[in-house]
Amino acid sequence: MNLHDKDSLPREILPVIVIGNGPSGICLSYLLSGYTPYVSPEATHPNPLLQAKLDQQPNISLLEQDLEYLCEGLEGRSSNPVAVLFDSLLLPDSDFGLEHASPLLWRYERERAIPHLVLGKGPPGGAWHAMEGSMLTLSLANWMELPGLKLKEWMRDKRRNVRNDRATPAEIASYYQHYVKQMGLENSFACGTTVSSLQRVNCDGAGGRPVWKIQGTQRREAHQLDGGGVAEVPFTVCADNVVLATGTHDIPARLGVEGEGLPFVCHSFWELEAAISRGQLDQTSDPVLVVGAGLTAADAILTAHHLNTPVYHAFRRSVTDPHLIFNQLPKLLYPEYHKVHQMMTQQQQEPQNLDIANSGRGTAAQTDQQENDNNTASLSSGSYPGYISLPKHRVVAFKPDGKCVLEGGDGCRTVLRVSMALVLIGAHPNLSFLPEDGRPLGVNPQEPITCRRNPLDVDPYTNESISQGGLYAMGPLVGENFVRFLKGGALAIASDLAKRQRAKQEENHATVCSMVEQTEALCVIDS
């Protein structure tokens, strides 16, 4: 869909605009397009308490029911109650490795559709199109699917096999793009758009009520423009409600230390791939330093180790920390990550204090030789030669000569020479289109918005912002990183919007009835 710029506010005020076209935005669009979940009368949920509640209103759609009531007593791996509820209905008992049939029955009811627009920088699927395509996803394949289209069935139709019940990011991105087309959602998606401003304004065209004004640009290809080429065309759209579904992959997190802007310091996995493609890394290279203990850091370690490129791995936690992601993953489902955790555990090293830059010991040549001898001895030993684990270490500084200064938990510092440093410690959302980058909307308004430490503060049963009415958020912005659980945010928002729409229709109907009654009364008086 192409958007158009307007000098003044558009006359048409959309009920809903969604900023972000990843799986969060796609799932919400599905629910807002008239696809309605009911509980099948033939189905039985394995949770008897939930089944008893569902039996109380068997013919009422899930969008009309009291979600807070249905959520009571449910437990799951998400802190968001509606996420646990919807996951339990879509994938009953999946945490136990069971595959119960979902009790939900989906019906397309056109009269329930709420007009909406989904804005996204790229094709439907969001950040999945930018992820590396050969590695397996963390989640099981059926956890990645959206309502109404089984991922495994879609992959079988494409003559692909799901390896170890997990798919690659490239396959998932293709599935999401196909999902939008298969479900007939394309007319609600405006791709190639970048939002630059979101603000609350009063609009004459909306009866003077406050609405959301969204401004930005849309990338147009040559065949869409008179002059040819590619251009960024400005647009303005307005809506009564806005949903933030931008994810948190826009801005890589930084350490904030000296030298972090040096050319050999990188902040994304793709920069490692680019260096490999250019032939810069092999078994003869100086070691690569990987900073971080998440899954992206693990992917980088596996990639470098496969090339026999030496790796130093520095991270803040201990290898036994229960919050370390590797301690939360089943070994049988995630063998490659279990291998990385083994490496982290078995190759722990406490390097000598090699503060070469300031020690003043010997000549530069002697110092370099001492450093190289130490590096070679350390990296060539152990069960996994070519890898050293440095738990409870933090980076103090990067030096222009390719050296990294690390500090251990005991305060001792180590200097290591590397060919590349990969800082893979997560990412932050880009909310620059909001006042103060969205900080006033966070749980802690004084801190930047982050998925784990400071998500947006929303009502747990509607996902509406606590501080700003008519503004909703979902997905990583509210602390939900897994596709499996972000679908609950879509249910919460769609349910709240549907209830508001019904209330508005009832109010309009009551107004019309009152006017008719008044007219009839006047007619009686006149007669």
Side-chain angles (χ1 to χ4, degrees):
M1 176 186 292
N2 289 336
L3 304 177
H4 303 282
D5 185 35
K6 299 187 183 294
D7 296 330
S8 59
L9 292 181
R11 294 182 180 178
E12 181 183 8
I13 310 298
L14 287 170
V16 185
I17 287 180
V18 183
I19 302 177
N21 66 354
S24 294
I26 295 173
C27 187
L28 179 57
S29 177
Y30 178 76
L31 292 171
L32 295 180
S33 296
Y35 292 95
T36 309
Y38 290 84
V39 176
S40 172
E42 292 83 20
T44 301
H45 195 278
N47 185 323
L49 175 62
L50 180 57
Q51 181 63 47
K53 292 180 179 180
L54 295 172
D55 287 340
Q56 293 173 10
Q57 294 182 305
N59 300 316
I60 304 298
S61 78
L62 199 60
L63 296 177
E64 298 173 89
Q65 298 200 34
D66 184 344
L67 297 183
E68 184 172 358
Y69 171 66
L70 295 178
C71 288
E72 291 176 357
L74 296 180
E75 296 181 354
R77 294 187 181 183
S78 171
S79 59
N80 295 317
V82 182
V84 175
L85 169 66
F86 204 29
D87 177 70
S88 178
L89 292 170
L90 290 169
L91 301 166
D93 279 351
S94 60
D95 279 337
F96 302 105
L98 304 176
E99 292 193 13
H100 288 296
S102 171
L104 293 184
L105 176 67
W106 292 89
R107 299 174 184 167
Y108 177 66
E109 299 174 335
R110 183 189 299 271
E111 67 277 9
R112 291 185 183 271
I114 299 176
H116 62 282
L117 183 64
V118 183
L119 308 177
K121 294 181 180 179
W128 286 94
H129 289 281
M131 295 182 186
E132 200 278 326
S134 61
M135 295 183 180
L136 297 175
T137 60
L138 174 62
S139 296
L140 298 177
N142 62 333
W143 292 1
M144 308 295 293
E145 69 189 22
L146 300 180
L149 181 61
K150 294 292 184 182
L151 177 59
K152 289 184 180 180
E153 294 178 4
W154 174 81
M155 293 184 71
R156 279 196 292 268
D157 291 341
K158 297 293 181 181
R159 297 182 180 179
R160 298 172 182 169
N161 293 321
V162 181
R163 293 181 288 163
N164 195 26
D165 274 338
R166 292 157 64 197
T168 67
E171 291 165 340
I172 297 300
S174 179
Y175 164 79
Y176 290 144
Q177 195 164 3
H178 175 81
Y179 182 92
V180 170
K181 182 178 181 180
Q182 178 74 19
M183 299 301 171
L185 310 179
E186 289 177 298
N187 289 338
S188 296
F189 280 70
C191 300
T193 59
T194 300
V195 175
S196 58
S197 173
L198 171 64
Q199 53 185 319
R200 195 74 158 162
V201 300
N202 290 321
C203 178
D204 292 337
R209 72 178 186 275
V211 298
W212 291 103
K213 177 183 177 183
I214 299 98
Q215 292 179 298
T217 58
Q218 184 177 32
R219 187 174 59 255
R220 303 284 182 83
E221 302 297 336
H223 66 278
Q224 298 175 324
L225 302 169
D226 295 335
V230 178
E232 299 289 335
V233 180
F235 70 84
T236 301
V237 290
C238 288
D240 287 317
N241 303 282
V242 169
V243 180
L244 302 178
T246 59
T248 60
H249 295 280
D250 295 302
I251 305 173
R254 301 176 70 89
L255 296 168
V257 301
E258 173 192 344
E260 194 167 4
L262 290 169
F264 73 93
V265 182
C266 305
H267 295 81
S268 72
F269 178 85
W270 327 122
E271 292 175 274
L272 172 64
E273 286 197 319
I276 294 172
S277 299
R278 293 192 297 265
Q280 292 179 240
L281 295 177
D282 56 31
Q283 65 270 25
T284 64
S285 306
D286 281 335
V288 171
L289 172 65
V290 176
V291 182
L295 299 179
T296 304
D299 290 338
I301 291 166
L302 291 170
T303 301
H305 199 63
H306 180 72
L307 290 173
N308 293 320
T309 300
V311 176
Y312 291 125
H313 182 198
F315 47 98
R316 294 177 303 155
R317 300 183 185 275
S318 71
V319 293
T320 58
D321 191 314
H323 293 97
L324 200 69
I325 185 64
F326 306 102
N327 291 320
Q328 303 173 21
L329 300 177
K331 296 178 181 179
L332 293 178
L333 290 178
Y334 308 100
E336 72 277 35
Y337 293 132
H338 176 58
K339 177 182 177 180
V340 172
H341 192 221
Q342 278 188 323
M343 295 166 68
M344 294 165 64
T345 302
Q346 297 179 18
Q347 297 289 110
Q348 295 182 63
Q349 188 84 8
E350 293 294 340
Q352 301 171 9
N353 184 4
L354 299 177
D355 197 354
I356 297 168
N358 301 313
S359 64
R361 295 172 295 176
T363 65
Q366 291 173 330
T367 296
D368 287 344
Q369 184 60 49
Q370 179 186 4
E371 177 186 333
N372 290 335
D373 290 345
N374 182 275
N375 290 350
T376 301
S378 299
L379 284 163
S380 62
S381 60
S383 303
Y384 297 98
Y387 170 87
I388 288 180
S389 169
L390 302 170
K392 297 184 178 180
H393 276 70
R394 67 181 185 91
V395 176
V396 176
F398 297 103
K399 300 297 183 180
D401 57 358
K403 294 176 182 176
C404 305
V405 183
L406 304 179
E407 184 176 275
D410 57 1
C412 291
R413 292 192 173 187
T414 301
V415 177
L416 302 173
R417 184 191 299 277
V418 301
S419 60
M420 170 183 280
L422 284 165
V423 179
L424 304 174
I425 56 174
H428 300 311
N430 181 2
L431 299 177
S432 59
F433 54 87
L434 290 171
E436 301 180 54
D437 292 326
R439 289 191 184 196
L441 303 175
V443 173
N444 183 349
Q446 307 304 318
E447 296 293 328
I449 300 298
T450 60
C451 174
R452 294 181 181 177
R453 297 183 181 180
N454 190 35
L456 297 186
D457 193 13
V458 298
D459 183 288
Y461 300 102
T462 66
N463 277 46
E464 185 178 21
S465 170
I466 296 298
S467 60
Q468 183 63 70
L471 184 67
Y472 298 81
M474 61 187 304
L477 290 177
V478 296
E480 210 58 86
N481 276 312
F482 293 100
V483 174
R484 172 185 174 186
F485 293 115
L486 61 78
K487 291 173 279 192
L491 175 64
I493 295 171
S495 174
D496 192 55
L497 292 173
K499 290 171 182 175
R500 292 189 178 194
Q501 184 184 51
R502 287 195 301 275
K504 187 175 181 179
Q505 290 173 344
E506 291 172 359
E507 181 182 348
N508 292 338
H509 179 71
T511 301
V512 170
C513 290
S514 176
M515 293 176 62
V516 169
E517 290 175 357
Q518 292 177 10
T519 302
E520 290 176 345
L522 289 173
C523 291
V524 171
I525 294 174
D526 290 341
S527 62

